[in-house]
Amino acid sequence: MIGPEATIMEEAFRPRVDTEPLYDKEDTRRVVWRENPHRKMTIETYQEKFQVLHDEEIFQPFDPYTDVFFLFSPLFHHEELSKDWIPVIPQLLKTKCSIFVTDSQESLMLKTIDWVTERFGAEMDEILKPGLNEFRSLKMEVDLFNLDSFHQKNMYIWGFRGKRYQVQDPWALL
């Protein structure tokens, strides 16, 4: 989990023995929480913007076969939020890792897709067509801006990654 809005809940993690606070050796102000819900899976929480961590090469090297990015309702198209996302998307695309975006409404998902493809369409490959997310929240939520509207969190999902070019050896065709 990355971002200033990522929550570190010490009390929620305290009873578990497989959760540990980690500290960056160079910067003791950056607390990182690591949880191991399964022996092959680790969840880490950083309360820092992705572009800062990327520039510091905290996560290098990326592995497109095992690393995945999930962006839950990112609202790329929102006026105030888009300026934060513009430097991040190229960094994500450079990793060639899968990027999955979810949203609660089809119209918001379509705006997200339009925003990304308009700016970065030539640099990306679509790996999952937009559609209903089988793992969406089952809880029905009321839209606070339109009380007649109901939705489920993460109801729609779409996936893309940085463009991968196939290199073909001309000698292989002989």
Side-chain angles (χ1 to χ4, degrees):
M1 307 294 192
I2 300 172
E5 63 281 343
T7 305
I8 295 176
M9 299 181 295
E10 291 182 49
E11 294 301 317
F13 290 154
R14 196 162 299 208
R16 301 206 34 188
V17 294
D18 53 356
T19 303
E20 57 186 91
L22 302 173
Y23 299 91
D24 187 339
K25 291 179 179 100
E26 296 166 7
D27 183 5
T28 56
R29 295 171 296 145
R30 179 177 291 150
V31 178
V32 179
W33 282 93
R34 176 178 287 160
E35 182 177 3
N36 298 99
H38 186 271
R39 63 184 171 83
K40 292 185 176 182
M41 180 179 183
T42 300
I43 299 173
E44 294 182 359
T45 304
Y46 296 82
Q47 290 186 311
E48 186 71 69
K49 289 190 173 190
F50 177 79
Q51 55 265 45
V52 173
L53 299 171
H54 185 272
D55 291 343
E56 293 176 11
E57 298 183 352
I58 299 282
F59 307 116
Q60 310 298 353
F62 288 98
D63 183 356
Y65 295 102
T66 59
D67 296 334
V68 173
F69 295 101
F70 282 95
L71 308 175
F72 302 104
S73 302
L75 298 174
F76 295 137
H77 61 278
H78 191 275
E79 227 174 272
E80 291 177 28
L81 299 176
S82 67
K83 68 180 181 302
D84 288 336
W85 283 112
I86 287 175
V88 173
I89 300 299
Q91 291 174 331
L92 293 175
L93 291 172
K94 246 185 240 178
T95 68
K96 306 297 187 215
C97 297
S98 301
I99 304 163
F100 294 100
V101 179
T102 66
D103 229 314
S104 58
Q105 299 172 14
E106 190 173 16
S107 61
L108 292 175
M109 179 58 75
L110 294 173
K111 286 180 183 179
T112 293
I113 294 167
D114 289 345
W115 188 90
V116 172
T117 54
E118 226 175 74
R119 286 161 184 76
F120 309 105
E123 302 163 36
M124 57 168 265
D125 290 330
E126 185 176 65
I127 58 172
L128 179 67
K129 299 255 183 240
L132 216 51
N133 183 1
E134 293 296 321
F135 302 100
R136 66 188 174 272
S137 171
L138 299 177
K139 181 181 175 188
M140 293 301 288
E141 305 269 344
V142 176
D143 185 349
L144 296 177
F145 298 105
N146 179 4
L147 298 176
D148 294 331
S149 175
F150 296 90
H151 62 270
Q152 293 166 285
K153 298 234 187 260
N154 305 318
M155 189 167 184
Y156 296 94
I157 189 165
W158 174 57
F160 62 101
R161 69 173 176 214
K163 186 153 261 337
R164 297 179 79 179
Y165 298 96
Q166 294 295 349
V167 178
Q168 193 169 30
D169 185 359
W171 291 101
L173 299 174
L174 297 176

